[in-house]
Amino acid sequence: MNKNYYTIEDKAQILIDSLPYIRDFNQKIIIVSFGCSNILTDEEEQEVMRDIALLKSIGMKPIVVHDTKMGHDKFRENKRIAKMIEFCGVKAVGICGIDLQTLHMTLDNDYIPVITPNDIDNEDTPILPEEAAQTIAVAMGAEKVLFLGREEGIRDAGGQIISQMTYDEVKKMKDEGRFEGRLLQKTTYALQMIEQGVPRIHILGSRMAHSILVEIFSIIGVGTVIMPDREHYYPHELKRRKIK
């Protein structure tokens, strides 16, 4: 009995903690850079799309920018991912290339835009989803960008993921040569976005179930969030953490 009681209590606390974030992010653009098509199974991808559909259902405006499974056609993949989202009960539409007018139109008509960075004119040009996400985030005034992929976040010297970092802290580690490969690319795009006015960028792994939801709706999260400075906590986060 007690075990069940505490389980229910814990679940209720999670819902309570999420309420300020739901309020803060209502009608805000949230971009998910989905760089894990070659990492996840189809079933795991569907779980991610279900979480993205949930964001839409509670009032946010998610935009998905994705990579392509190795050996697959970019445009077929785009349609496949859009259909996976629609299976979850919300409207989604595939868009090839970055067309801001089309993005505004799809959001205004209650669709989730699902974007492959390439269009017919540059289909053979390698374009990272993070690069496209940066362009879209700056142009659309996104509230946050999530880099979802193999990299679980930025780790400290002891190998632990650092949950929250400022622009200066990340830049210092980058200048020291602490990053390489895809993490170097992601932190570079993140710093550029901070400079261009995007409030928050998250780096988180795709293998943990519901990592998007845990990262967005909790203070600590499961990955690393990068923000301009310590003044850019949300008001309820300042209250909870008693940050001076």
Side-chain angles (χ1 to χ4, degrees), residues 163-197:
S163 61
Q164 297 154 336
M165 297 187 72
T166 66
Y167 173 94
D168 288 340
E169 291 168 343
V170 175
K171 188 174 187 306
K172 182 175 184 293
M173 291 181 72
K174 180 175 179 288
D175 291 344
E176 292 171 348
R178 299 275 296 276
F179 308 134
E180 58 184 21
R182 291 283 278 165
L183 185 57
L184 175 58
Q185 292 173 330
K186 290 181 178 184
T187 52
T188 298
Y189 288 126
L191 292 174
Q192 290 173 355
M193 278 190 278
I194 294 289
E195 293 167 358
Q196 294 169 310

Side-chain angles (χ1 to χ4, degrees), residues 42-76:
D42 290 347
E43 291 76 16
E44 290 169 333
E45 281 186 302
Q46 184 66 69
E47 285 297 315
V48 174
M49 299 310 151
R50 185 174 291 113
D51 291 347
I52 293 171
L54 176 61
L55 300 183
K56 178 73 176 70
S57 298
I58 59 177
M60 301 179 194
K61 294 184 175 183
I63 296 174
V64 179
V65 187
H66 64 88
D67 60 359
T68 302
K69 282 182 179 292
M70 192 174 300
H72 286 228
D73 179 85
K74 293 181 175 67
F75 306 131
R76 284 182 177 274

Side-chain angles (χ1 to χ4, degrees), residues 151-163:
E151 296 73 24
E152 298 176 337
I154 297 173
R155 297 182 182 274
D156 61 20
Q160 298 299 309
I161 292 176
I162 306 171
S163 61

Side-chain angles (χ1 to χ4, degrees), residues 14-159:
I14 291 170
L15 293 174
I16 291 168
D17 288 345
S18 71
L19 287 176
Y21 292 102
I22 295 173
R23 179 198 63 221
D24 290 341
F25 302 149
N26 185 48
Q27 297 302 299
K28 297 292 179 65
I29 294 174
I30 311 292
I31 297 178
V32 179
S33 172
F34 183 73
C36 37
S37 289
N38 294 306
I39 303 171
L40 303 181
T41 65
D42 290 347
E43 291 76 16
E44 290 169 333
E45 281 186 302
Q46 184 66 69
E47 285 297 315
V48 174
M49 299 310 151
R50 185 174 291 113
D51 291 347
I52 293 171
L54 176 61
L55 300 183
K56 178 73 176 70
S57 298
I58 59 177
M60 301 179 194
K61 294 184 175 183
I63 296 174
V64 179
V65 187
H66 64 88
D67 60 359
T68 302
K69 282 182 179 292
M70 192 174 300
H72 286 228
D73 179 85
K74 293 181 175 67
F75 306 131
R76 284 182 177 274
E77 278 292 281
N78 195 32
K79 185 175 182 179
R80 182 183 71 87
I81 292 175
K83 281 188 172 295
M84 290 174 74
I85 294 176
E86 289 199 316
F87 286 152
C88 303
V90 298
K91 298 188 295 185
V93 61
I95 299 173
C96 300
I98 301 171
D99 183 333
L100 298 180
Q101 183 176 0
T102 301
L103 279 175
H104 282 290
M105 183 177 67
T106 54
L107 291 175
D108 291 343
N109 285 278
D110 211 32
Y111 284 82
I112 295 179
V114 178
I115 301 167
T116 179
N118 299 86
D119 59 26
I120 196 68
D121 295 324
N122 63 3
E123 61 179 302
D124 295 324
T125 303
I127 304 175
L128 292 173
E130 294 87 357
E131 179 183 350
Q134 177 190 10
T135 301
I136 296 166
V138 174
M140 300 286 289
E143 175 68 22
K144 60 173 68 244
V145 176
L146 291 89
F147 288 155
L148 186 69
R150 193 181 304 275
E151 296 73 24
E152 298 176 337
I154 297 173
R155 297 182 182 274
D156 61 20

